[in-house]
Amino acid sequence: MYWTGRTAERAEMGARTALICLTRVINGDPRPADVLAMVDGLRAVSGGMLGPPVEATPDDLEGEVRAALSGRPASVVGNLRATVATARAARPLLSGRTWRLLAMLAAEAAALDKLTGEPGLAAFDATEVLDRVLVPLAALAGLTGE
């Protein structure tokens, strides 16, 4: 149960960080310093190597968003799958409602993985999926907190 909660927290942190970065991009062209900070933040939450390139560009940001969502072992998708996998080990301790949440997380992980594999990552579509990921994660956090 500890690892289920821990991987869910990691997935939530990665999803929120990516959502903030994508929202900044949707709302207008971020300044170069902002892009640099976003790339650093995405690398930090997804297990990427720390230290941004000398000059991060919006193209670097799209690549980092893709990697943070699905391209690294500690990505949002990786952590969502780890949450479901660790919950299976504690199956007798979990209620049917909790399993519904976990099924929702597995479905959203598949949707997010598919979305990041498509050319030309649409920031709006990614924010929609991330919003759908955060709802069951928040519910799971409440259950594991109790």
Side-chain angles (χ1 to χ4, degrees):
M1 288 303 297
Y2 170 80
W3 287 110
T4 300
R6 183 68 183 109
T7 55
E9 287 174 356
R10 287 181 185 164
E12 183 178 1
M13 181 179 292
R16 288 188 186 282
T17 302
L19 187 60
I20 289 167
C21 292
L22 290 168
T23 302
R24 293 286 307 259
V25 170
I26 289 171
N27 289 337
D29 292 328
R31 296 176 302 161
D34 292 341
V35 172
L36 198 61
M38 287 186 260
V39 167
D40 239 358
L42 289 167
R43 287 181 179 178
V45 299
S46 65
M49 295 179 66
L50 291 178
V54 176
E55 279 195 41
T57 65
D59 292 334
D60 296 332
L61 182 59
E62 182 179 339
E64 285 301 323
V65 168
R66 282 181 190 279
L69 293 178
S70 181
R72 296 185 178 118
S75 66
V76 174
V77 170
N79 281 316
L80 289 173
R81 289 181 175 152
T83 299
V84 174
T86 56
R88 284 191 181 109
R91 188 173 192 93
L93 303 173
L94 300 173
S95 69
R97 289 190 176 112
T98 304
W99 279 104
R100 281 190 221 141
L101 288 175
L102 292 166
M104 290 170 66
L105 288 176
E108 295 305 334
L112 195 54
D113 197 27
K114 180 182 176 190
L115 181 68
T116 57
E118 295 175 0
L121 179 66
F124 181 76
D125 293 339
T127 60
E128 290 293 313
V129 174
L130 288 169
D131 282 338
R132 290 194 317 258
V133 164
L134 288 171
V135 172
L137 281 173
L140 187 61
L143 289 172
T144 57
E146 287 186 23

